[in-house]
Amino acid sequence: MSEVMRRLVALLRRLPGVGEKTAHRLSIFLLTSPPEYGRELARALQEAVERVRPCAVCGNLSESTPCELCADPRRDRSLLCVVERVPDLMAIEASHEFGGLYHVLHGVLDPLKGVGPAELNIEPLFSRLSGEVREVILALSASVEGETTALYLRQRLQDRGVRVSRIASGIPVGGELEYVDRGTIGRALSGRREM
Amino acid sequence: MFITEIRTRNFRNLADEKVEFFDGINVLTGNNAQGKTSVLEAISILGNLHSFRTRRLREVIRFGEKNSDIFGKFTRSGVEDELLIRIDGLGRRIIRSGKQVKDIAEVLGCFPVSSFSPDDIDIIKGGSLVRRRFLDKGCITLFRHFFENHRAYYKALLSRNRIIKTQGVPEDDLLKSYESVMAVSGIELTKMRRSLVNILRTSIRRKNFLENKGAIVDIKYKSGIYSEKDVAGDEDEYRRLLFDKRSIDFQRGFTTIGPHRDDFVIMIDGHPAREFASQGQKRLLAISMLLSLIEETRKAENTPVLLLDDVSSELDSKNRRELYNELSRIGGQILLTTTDSSLYEEIEIPIRIYHVETGRCTIKMERNI
Ligand SMILES: [Zn+2]
């Protein structure tokens, strides 16, 4: 394999869910397709990477900061929905059931993978609370990691004068949340939704 | 539920052939290293998605080959189900009745298989880990939410340990959230293990083996949360205990209390069997405990296929005969391995005996009564 191709494979491998085999398949697909496709893809990627960034306020992906959602005057500023990842936000948005604002953590706490509070978009959440926010809704997955993250946030939120509620996962908010880990930790924990 | 056939490809030293089993006692005989344990291993991978022999699944792939298949057919109340597991250098793929399974939760627990080797039943002489694992093998069949609670507890425990070890002064709120998960799932674990010990306690009294007949056997559960009290406890108390132990835990670098330190003691005539029982008594006690556990799990809704690897090897022929009679009485599907099949041939129970040699499994004898 040529050096250029090896580099391509190595970069593709870093994408989530892409292993050695898939990386090879993708690179061969790209290199045997008409070259316009590869160029177009590279351009789109470059443009997106340069223009789309996490919103400094909520963490949503957008071309502007604050993002369209944060800037929308029709949204209810007293409600804040905390989600793990951008696709969860998109899933809730698609349901048209929620009119408040969001906060994307970009992950969940997992000390075994080296993810502590500092690695997540958590501190900016607290700086948002001084404003009009009256209720924080935690829409996190029912995995052990999601559950502990919710408990942690609740503890830090409880003496801030905001209501904290938890959306029982598995019960979709109109649409469907995209769960990273669909394993639930059972009745023992799921019985405790009221926070 | 029982397994009707398996077929492997490139799996260790087994021949790429179909082997059929019957819903009763299947005995695999033959010399060592001929493939008896590999047959059990293949079945345990079908049921549990991991091997009792190795942590690295790729080790089962025959030398020089790229991948390996295990295919099995199961029957539950007359309904057939098929499972294919394909193992390659990167991992495994699960195909159920022709369809690829994406989430292992869809198959975990559907094909319950429970395996015991001599190490698993070394519950008198062995360490507390052996005894916890022994209990957990029963709990997973008997209690619906055992698996989730077990997973949640150990994940939270390892996370707490990691935080303790890597951070000088851990954030209180962070520790608290892991302790909450540990308290909730840990109490559930405690309840389930404790109730299984109580079930076994009643059962083992009726199940003393030959030389042990007449001896009074008792089992005591020792909670890893409370060193002395035999109580189920409640979450809030447990959470307080975890909080109180923090400074000690920081010093030692790990969590000092909790179900990960659970244990039970087997008593014989009022004394701990570990110190007071003879070698022979210990062996028989362990087998009696195993039989009690098997009998209790046979009462579950979806009874596991039982794999017994070489567990009778240390018994003399009188005790072995009693073990087989007892297994036959308890019923359900059992696959067991032994180097000596002479006894099975004369004993009057429904049985199928296979001879395993250089990876090939052939039926040697069958008896239906
Ligand atoms: Zn925003």
Side-chain angles (χ1 to χ4, degrees):
Chain A
M1 210 196 303
S2 79
E3 191 49 47
V4 195
M5 208 173 144
R6 225 195 302 275
R7 197 159 68 104
L8 178 62
V9 171
L11 287 168
L12 287 171
R13 265 199 68 177
R14 281 165 58 179
L15 293 170
V18 176
E20 185 82 44
K21 263 189 211 162
T22 315
H24 273 109
R25 232 186 38 229
L26 290 174
S27 66
I28 289 164
F29 172 81
L30 288 168
L31 301 172
T32 51
S33 300
E36 293 77 47
Y37 173 68
R39 284 192 204 108
E40 186 60 29
L41 182 69
R43 260 198 306 278
L45 190 60
Q46 191 172 5
E47 232 173 281
V49 168
E50 265 154 28
R51 299 204 345 225
V52 181
R53 301 265 75 190
C55 163
V57 182
C58 73
N60 182 24
L61 290 175
S62 168
E63 283 188 46
S64 57
T65 268
C67 68
E68 305 79 44
L69 287 170
C70 289
D72 189 341
R74 289 163 302 177
R75 310 237 18 148
D76 182 350
R77 268 148 218 287
S78 68
L79 282 176
L80 205 59
C81 180
V82 178
V83 296
E84 285 174 24
R85 295 178 185 283
V86 174
D88 300 330
L89 178 157
M90 288 170 165
I92 297 173
E93 266 308 280
S95 74
H96 302 289
E97 296 278 322
F98 179 71
L101 297 175
Y102 293 94
H103 192 87
V104 187
L105 298 176
H106 297 297
V108 274
L109 292 173
D110 189 352
L112 300 176
K113 287 188 182 143
V115 183
E119 278 70 41
L120 299 175
N121 189 27
I122 284 180
E123 286 314 315
L125 170 66
F126 296 106
S127 53
R128 294 180 74 182
L129 296 179
S130 43
E132 309 148 69
V133 179
R134 283 203 335 268
E135 182 172 355
V136 174
I137 301 160
L138 303 172
L140 304 173
S141 67
S143 62
V144 182
E145 296 83 356
E147 202 73 38
T148 24
T149 309
L151 285 168
Y152 173 73
L153 291 176
R154 182 199 57 172
Q155 272 148 20
R156 293 200 50 193
L157 287 166
Q158 63 191 1
D159 33 65
R160 298 261 186 158
V162 288
R163 256 182 68 191
V164 182
S165 57
R166 175 98 160 91
I167 288 173
S169 50
I171 304 163
V173 235
E176 261 183 3
L177 285 178
E178 283 214 8
Y179 289 122
V180 185
D181 179 359
R182 301 214 291 118
T184 60
I185 56 174
R187 200 160 44 181
L189 294 173
S190 62
R192 277 147 246 267
R193 292 291 142 211
E194 71 290 345
M195 288 196 115
Chain B
M1 193 211 62
F2 66 102
I3 185 159
T4 54
E5 67 170 74
I6 61 159
R7 212 166 5 182
T8 57
R9 193 181 55 82
N10 294 343
F11 187 90
R12 294 206 189 259
N13 63 338
L14 293 184
D16 296 350
E17 288 175 351
K18 177 166 92 171
V19 189
E20 291 180 317
F21 300 104
F22 95 118
D23 185 15
I25 301 182
N26 300 264
V27 181
L28 306 175
T29 67
N31 292 328
N32 285 325
Q34 299 300 308
K36 299 191 300 287
T37 305
S38 298
V39 175
L40 301 196
E41 184 187 25
I43 296 170
S44 91
I45 294 174
L46 281 174
N48 301 318
L49 308 178
H50 61 80
S51 163
F52 58 78
R53 262 169 144 185
T54 171
R55 277 167 170 274
R56 268 184 298 209
L57 217 44
R58 77 174 82 125
E59 282 176 17
V60 305
I61 304 170
R62 191 183 298 148
F63 184 75
E65 300 291 342
K66 283 203 169 119
N67 52 37
S68 174
D69 284 345
I70 313 166
F71 172 80
K73 273 190 183 171
F74 297 82
T75 294
R76 176 168 34 231
S77 356
V79 183
E80 272 211 341
D81 212 337
E82 298 176 353
L83 201 63
L84 168 68
I85 297 188
R86 177 158 294 172
I87 299 156
D88 60 24
L90 298 167
R92 51 153 202 244
R93 263 198 299 161
I94 307 162
I95 295 126
R96 183 181 189 175
S97 300
K99 269 190 219 137
Q100 179 150 353
V101 173
K102 296 247 170 68
D103 187 347
I104 63 162
E106 284 172 41
V107 288
L108 263 185
C110 291
F111 308 98
V113 168
S114 195
S115 68
F116 293 91
S117 68
D119 288 342
D120 296 318
I121 60 167
D122 190 18
I123 51 172
I124 319 276
K125 291 174 280 167
S128 64
L129 174 67
V130 179
R131 285 182 289 281
R132 281 192 298 276
R133 235 178 25 206
F134 181 83
L135 284 184
D136 291 353
K137 284 187 181 209
C139 285
I140 199 145
T141 309
L142 289 171
F143 305 112
R144 259 188 74 205
H145 294 283
F146 181 78
F147 178 75
E148 298 107 277
N149 281 293
H150 190 273
R151 202 171 71 164
Y153 176 76
Y154 280 91
K155 188 130 205 190
L157 168 73
L158 291 175
S159 301
R160 185 181 188 264
N161 283 349
R162 182 65 62 89
I163 294 167
I164 284 174
K165 244 185 230 158
T166 51
Q167 298 181 18
V169 185
E171 192 189 335
D172 178 66
D173 286 326
L174 189 62
L175 272 179
K176 233 192 233 166
S177 30
Y178 289 97
E179 287 167 1
S180 292
V181 172
M182 286 167 72
V184 175
S185 53
I187 288 289
E188 291 297 313
L189 275 194
T190 302
K191 279 185 196 156
M192 294 184 221
R193 284 178 176 162
R194 189 164 159 273
S195 100
L196 179 58
V197 167
N198 285 332
I199 290 170
L200 292 175
R201 188 166 175 256
T202 322
S203 159
I204 195 159
R205 292 179 170 183
R206 292 184 267 109
K207 215 178 284 301
N208 280 348
F209 256 58
L210 294 172
E211 286 108 276
N212 283 353
K213 271 188 184 138
I216 297 166
V217 179
D218 201 3
I219 317 169
K220 274 192 190 137
Y221 174 69
K222 285 170 74 183
S223 164
I225 308 174
Y226 313 97
S227 43
E228 293 305 321
K229 288 186 287 180
D230 178 30
V231 291
D234 68 273
E235 281 164 45
D236 291 334
E237 192 186 357
Y238 180 16
R239 216 172 283 148
R240 257 197 313 280
L241 284 171
L242 276 170
F243 183 83
D244 293 342
K245 290 279 178 196
R246 276 187 192 176
S247 59
I248 293 173
D249 292 357
F250 292 168
Q251 271 171 29
R252 302 224 185 140
F254 60 89
T255 304
T256 51
I257 56 160
H260 61 291
R261 314 202 71 175
D262 277 355
D263 202 351
F264 64 86
V265 192
I266 302 176
M267 313 278 285
I268 188 157
D269 290 328
H271 302 290
R274 192 188 178 100
E275 284 99 50
F276 288 87
S278 70
Q279 282 306 319
Q281 277 181 320
K282 283 179 187 167
R283 219 169 279 150
L284 295 175
L285 265 177
I287 294 279
S288 306
M289 283 288 285
L290 175 66
L291 285 169
S292 293
L293 189 73
I294 293 170
E295 184 158 23
E296 293 309 322
T297 52
R298 284 294 184 239
K299 294 173 187 163
E301 207 175 301
N302 194 6
T303 59
V305 173
L306 201 63
L307 310 176
L308 302 178
D309 189 23
D310 206 28
V311 294
S312 62
S313 59
E314 286 183 9
L315 298 181
D316 62 24
S317 62
K318 230 167 42 170
N319 282 310
R320 237 193 257 193
R321 185 184 292 267
E322 184 154 335
L323 168 66
Y324 302 148
N325 278 322
E326 191 66 8
L327 286 174
S328 166
R329 190 186 64 74
I330 292 170
Q333 190 181 37
I334 298 173
L335 283 92
L336 61 89
T337 67
T338 179
T339 43
D340 169 30
S341 73
S342 52
L343 199 67
Y344 292 100
E345 290 171 19
E346 55 181 78
I347 200 166
E348 294 289 297
I349 52 171
I351 206 162
R352 192 187 272 184
I353 298 172
Y354 300 79
H355 182 68
V356 186
E357 198 174 352
T358 58
R360 301 196 61 184
C361 209
T362 45
I363 297 175
K364 190 173 154 195
M365 199 209 95
E366 186 161 10
R367 188 191 302 116
N368 292 299
I369 297 172

